[in-house]
């Protein structure tokens, strides 16, 4: 069964990853590229304000060249991420089917996809807004830890609401509240530290566009991923 | 003869073994998924960050 799950997940990830890549190329990546122009133009400003920011990038490290190579690695990363999400989704679907007799289909897959969207994008993004390059942010380690907390708590919260009986569903409240009680880490100065006011206005415009673009791209991605996973799990994985 | 042995073996040991094996496989599937996600979205090495940069931003994974 594990083998057929891996093969199915690779096929699903290829489709969902390519759908995401298409939407990303049209609506998301152009915003990242536009914001990067300002990032390169103001290295001394960000360096001066990044006290406690332990995460530094080595300029000598390999990076894909802009254009074909960069897009290629982005598509590969999208497909690999989709594979990771699909393996988790498949495991959850089969456990829910075996323990709670939850039906698997393309339709129920859409609801699984929406749960994935809430868990992996919406709730983490409510605490840590999707970032464009050159935006001020707290230390990477703190943000990553909070992201994990938000994902785990949201996943467990949704599972508690659906699978626990009667009043015990109330446990979900604890999970849903946990990330907000801890609080997402934010930098002392938020926004953009570019010296040019015009540039800051442009970056702020790009930032709000980016929130909408990623929300739509991720929503579409999760609906495609969820419904495909439900369909393939029912049709092709025997257990 | 061989057929009979195999059938009777399967009948007596299957249910619990199949269940345990399914649980292990589901756990392995979820762990494999998480490991791949960690590699693409969270590995701190510059090379991993640079290769997956636009993907990390698009999924709103914490980046930079």
């Amino acid at each position: 069964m594990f083998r057929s799950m891996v093969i199915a997940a690779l096929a699903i990830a290829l489709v969902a990853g390519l759908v995401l890549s298409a939407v990303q190329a049209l609506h998301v990546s152009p915003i990242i590229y536009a914001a990067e122009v300002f990032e390169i133009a103001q290295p001394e400003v960000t360096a001066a304000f990044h006290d406690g920011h332990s995460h530094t990038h080595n300029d000598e490290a390999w990076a894909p060249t802009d254009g074909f190579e960069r897009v290629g690695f982005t598509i590969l990363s999208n497909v690999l991420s989709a594979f990771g999400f699909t393996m988790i989704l498949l495991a959850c679907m089969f456990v829910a089917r075996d323990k709670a007799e939850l039906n698997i289909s393309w339709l129920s897959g859409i609801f699984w996809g929406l749960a994935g969207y809430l868990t992996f994008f919406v709730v983490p993004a409510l605490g840590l807004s999707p970032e464009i390059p050159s935006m001020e942010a707290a230390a990477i380690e703190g943000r990553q830890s909070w992201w994990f907390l938000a994902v785990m708590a949201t996943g467990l919260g949704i599972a508690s609401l659906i699978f626990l009986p009667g009043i015990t569903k109330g446990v979900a409240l604890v999970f849903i509240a946990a990330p907000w009680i801890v609080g997402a880490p934010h930098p002392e100065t938020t926004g953009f530290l570019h010296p040019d006011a015009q540039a800051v206005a442009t970056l702020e415009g790009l930032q709000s566009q980016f929130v909408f673009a990623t929300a739509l791209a991720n929503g579409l991605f999760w609906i495609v991923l969820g419904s495909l996973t439900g369909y393939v799990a029912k049709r092709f994985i025997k257990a | 003869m061989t057929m009979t042995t195999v059938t009777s073996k399967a009948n007596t040991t299957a249910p619990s073994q199949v269940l345990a094996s399914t649980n292990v496989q589901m756990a392995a599937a979820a762990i494999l998924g998480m490991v791949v996600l960690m590699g693409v979205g969270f590995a701190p090495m510059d090379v991993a960050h640079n290769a997956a940069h636009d993907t990390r931003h698009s999924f709103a994974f914490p980046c930079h």
Side-chain angles (χ1 to χ4, degrees):
Chain A
M1 189 179 185
F2 182 79
R3 187 167 172 272
S4 54
M5 284 169 80
V6 171
I7 294 168
L10 282 172
I12 296 164
L14 197 61
V15 177
L18 289 177
V19 169
L20 173 68
S21 300
V23 180
Q24 185 186 47
L26 290 173
H27 300 291
V28 179
S29 295
I31 303 173
I32 298 175
Y33 301 158
E36 268 175 358
V37 173
F38 297 98
E39 185 181 48
I40 294 160
Q42 45 125 16
E44 71 289 345
V45 177
T46 45
F49 282 88
H50 270 202
D51 286 346
H53 193 306
S54 59
H55 180 71
T56 52
H57 288 296
N58 174 9
D59 289 340
E60 298 300 311
W62 172 88
T65 49
D66 283 349
F68 183 76
E69 195 176 64
R70 179 169 176 177
V71 173
F73 274 97
T74 302
I75 294 172
L76 178 68
S77 307
N78 290 341
V79 172
L80 282 173
S81 305
F83 173 79
F85 288 132
T86 307
M87 288 304 283
I88 295 169
L89 206 55
L90 277 173
C92 293
M93 276 182 178
F94 286 125
V95 169
R97 182 195 64 184
D98 295 343
K99 311 277 183 208
E101 292 175 9
L102 216 67
N103 179 42
I104 295 179
S105 68
W106 68 267
L107 187 62
S108 71
I110 290 180
F111 290 97
W112 279 102
L114 290 173
Y117 180 48
L118 269 179
T119 303
F120 288 99
F121 181 82
V122 176
V123 173
L126 287 174
L128 295 169
S129 186
E131 304 155 23
I132 54 173
S134 87
M135 186 174 158
E136 286 306 300
I140 184 82
E141 295 81 2
R143 282 180 294 137
Q144 287 185 337
S145 305
W146 190 85
W147 188 93
F148 285 117
L149 173 68
V151 167
M152 293 303 295
T154 308
L156 289 170
I158 294 172
S160 310
L161 269 182
I162 293 172
F163 299 112
L164 289 181
I167 199 160
T168 54
K169 286 186 194 296
V171 174
L173 281 177
V174 178
F175 288 125
I176 290 165
W180 309 103
I181 293 168
V182 172
H186 290 291
E188 285 174 26
T189 319
T190 53
F192 302 94
L193 295 174
H194 199 283
D196 179 1
Q198 187 60 45
V200 171
T202 307
L203 284 164
E204 283 170 351
L206 288 171
Q207 169 63 15
S208 30
Q209 281 178 43
F210 192 69
V211 172
F212 279 106
T214 50
L216 287 174
N218 279 274
L220 180 70
F221 167 76
W222 274 105
I223 287 171
V224 170
L225 188 85
S227 56
L228 258 181
T229 304
Y231 175 75
V232 170
K234 183 178 185 178
R235 179 89 168 71
F236 297 104
I237 303 176
K238 303 290 172 218
Chain B
M1 180 71 180
T2 316
M3 280 286 283
T4 317
T5 317
V6 169
T7 311
S8 85
K9 230 182 178 178
N11 283 344
T12 51
T13 58
S16 63
Q17 279 194 356
V18 166
L19 191 65
S21 149
T22 306
N23 287 342
V24 170
Q25 290 184 62
M26 292 310 129
I31 290 168
L32 173 62
M34 288 176 208
V35 168
V36 172
L37 269 181
M38 290 307 98
V40 178
F42 294 84
M45 293 82 77
D46 285 329
V47 170
H49 166 272
N50 294 344
H53 177 264
D54 297 350
T55 298
R56 291 181 179 197
H57 276 280
S58 301
F59 280 125
F61 293 156
C63 195
H64 294 283

